[in-house]
Amino acid sequence: SYELTQPPSVSVSPGQTARITCSGDALPKQYAYWYQQKPGQAPVLVIYKDSERPSGIPERFSGSSSGTTVTLTISGVQAEDEADYYCQSADSSGTYPGFGGGTKLTVL
Amino acid sequence: QLQLQESGPGLVKPSETLSLTCTVSGGSISSSSYYWGWIRQPPGKGLEWIGSIYYSGSTYYNPSLKSRVTISVDTSKNQFSLKLSSVTAADTAVYYCASARPVIAVAGTSTYYFDYWGQGTLVTVSS
């Protein structure tokens, strides 16, 4: 399946802004999606179509796209945001979805 | 709101076939609004897409698993299923089923994202 690249870890203090990047050569042609996964739980969709937020997801979560890189931004990070975050997209044909390797967000 | 629930054996012997079923509630598996997918996560590792199916029966598989994977849908039971043959210890993982929302991409191609997930079920491959 399609491969995406994320940093393994990001650390921020409470109240600061966390930025998690995801890169892939098909991202100019395909939307990106972001999932939050807490230990022992299923992933939860937090951003779809690069920057749209599902209902129930706090406004502090936002997404952006520039060329072959997309970014998940969490403004005013809270302790409860500590989790693994995965980006997802697809190859240029749209046939094969793929996930990034995941980024562990640590709230110091 | 859709709810999905995986079911199946938690222990499978090497070389045998892993079989899981996902029961969908809160919506029809025959809806043209959704694909249905399987994703797995080995312990301590990331997510891997296994494959997806449309209500019409069209299937899409991860090329790295394609020779061993079969996904099918049973509209009468509102379920879809996964079979993975010739399993090894490398197939030990939490297996998730999920609903997949179709999207028309910037390039005009059709793809999807996973909006509702089951809770996941751990399948261990061991003798």
Side-chain angles (χ1 to χ4, degrees), chain A residues 1 29-30 35 37 42 86 88, chain B residues 41 62 96 105 109 112 114 118:
Chain A
S1 61
K29 299 180 180 179
Q30 298 292 345
Y35 303 87
Q37 186 181 35
Y86 293 90
Q88 181 237 315
Chain B
Q41 185 172 36
N62 186 325
Y96 295 100
T109 57
Y112 43 82
F114 304 98

Side-chain angles (χ1 to χ4, degrees), chain B residues 74-115:
Chain B
D74 186 338
T75 55
S76 67
K77 295 182 179 179
N78 227 37
Q79 296 175 335
F80 62 105
S81 298
L82 168 70
K83 292 187 184 299
L84 181 65
S85 63
S86 305
V87 297
T88 69
D91 295 310
T92 294
V94 174
Y95 285 76
Y96 295 100
C97 62
S99 58
R101 179 78 73 170
V103 172
I104 301 299
V106 174
T109 57
S110 177
T111 185
Y112 43 82
Y113 62 95
F114 304 98
D115 55 354

